[in-house]
Amino acid sequence: EAQVTQNPRYLITVTGKKLTVTCSQNMNHEYMSWYRQDPGLGLRQIYYSMNVEVTDKGDVPEGYKVSRKEKRNFPLILESPSPNQTSLYFCASTTRRFDTGELFFGEGSRLTVL
Amino acid sequence: AQSVTQLGSHVSVSEGALVLLRCNYSSSVPPYLFWYVQYPNQGLQLLLKYTSAATLVKGINGFEAEFKKSETSFHLTKPSAHMSDAAEYFCAVSRSSNTGKLIFGQGTTLQVKP
């Protein structure tokens, strides 16, 4: 089954404790992206990757890191989480082009930073 | 810079009534436009997309949207609402097919009353 898998789905952590949210897709997609969803703000893009070893900032990259060492994986790293990073996070993937591909989303990871 | 504005954070209709969700975009170049739907506790899924072909785009579940360049709009409609249409809807814009940036609107929650 084609899917984007995120882990963990739910996490409560404390300020400053490094964490990683994993994202894996099994569709051989070149493009992957991370979004955060906050009430009233919609989805905001954090980082995206057009291919292996190619990453770029979205609109809200501060406080986050990513890496793309393999095509299927695109982890999101919070080196020193802060309460303003409490949010619902989504990973998504597609073929390289938006006009021919559909963006597939994971089920989301709800993060609370105390 | 690109942006998307969805008019109305909440829309309520009766079952069987017309659904109209509004989306206006700002883009300096011809855009790629999308509507996504998010059901409770799930990721987003693509409803339909405009990629410079026909201006009237038909999507899944009976939804359609019309691209109007003169009005910079891409409103989503459905002739007759079903209870199962209750969800959050997001309009999104991309500048080109090969860019990694996809900008989402704030979202509109559709409530369907029996």
Side-chain angles (χ1 to χ4, degrees), chain A residues 31 37 45 50 97-98 103, chain B residues 36 38 49 97-100:
Chain A
Y31 174 92
Q37 183 179 14
Q45 193 171 33
M50 299 293 279
R97 294 172 63 99
F98 284 135
L103 200 59
Chain B
Y36 281 84
Q38 183 181 32
K49 60 183 176 183
S97 64
N98 277 326
T99 183

Side-chain angles (χ1 to χ4, degrees), chain B residues 24-25 68-73 75:
Chain B
N24 288 88
Y25 69 91
K68 291 187 176 180
K69 185 178 179 181
S70 60
E71 299 177 8
T72 61
S73 69
H75 301 332

Side-chain angles (χ1 to χ4, degrees), chain B residues 25 31 33 50 54-57 65-69 72-74:
Chain B
Y25 69 91
L33 292 159
Y50 167 77
T55 57
L56 182 62
V57 181
E66 186 173 7
F67 171 68
K68 291 187 176 180
K69 185 178 179 181
T72 61
S73 69
F74 190 57

Side-chain angles (χ1 to χ4, degrees), chain B residues 5-77:
Chain B
T5 302
Q6 292 183 237
L7 298 176
S9 59
H10 287 86
V11 170
S12 182
V13 301
S14 298
E15 192 172 20
L18 172 72
V19 175
L20 171 60
L21 304 182
R22 300 177 187 272
C23 172
N24 288 88
Y25 69 91
S26 169
S27 177
S28 58
V29 298
Y32 290 82
L33 292 159
F34 309 84
W35 275 99
Y36 281 84
V37 60
Q38 183 181 32
Y39 298 104
N41 299 313
Q42 294 185 26
L44 283 73
Q45 63 183 87
L46 181 68
L47 268 180
L48 49 81
K49 60 183 176 183
Y50 167 77
T51 57
S52 75
T55 57
L56 182 62
V57 181
K58 294 188 184 299
I60 61 172
N61 301 337
F63 284 93
E64 62 181 38
E66 186 173 7
F67 171 68
K68 291 187 176 180
K69 185 178 179 181
S70 60
E71 299 177 8
T72 61
S73 69
F74 190 57
H75 301 332
L76 182 71
T77 60

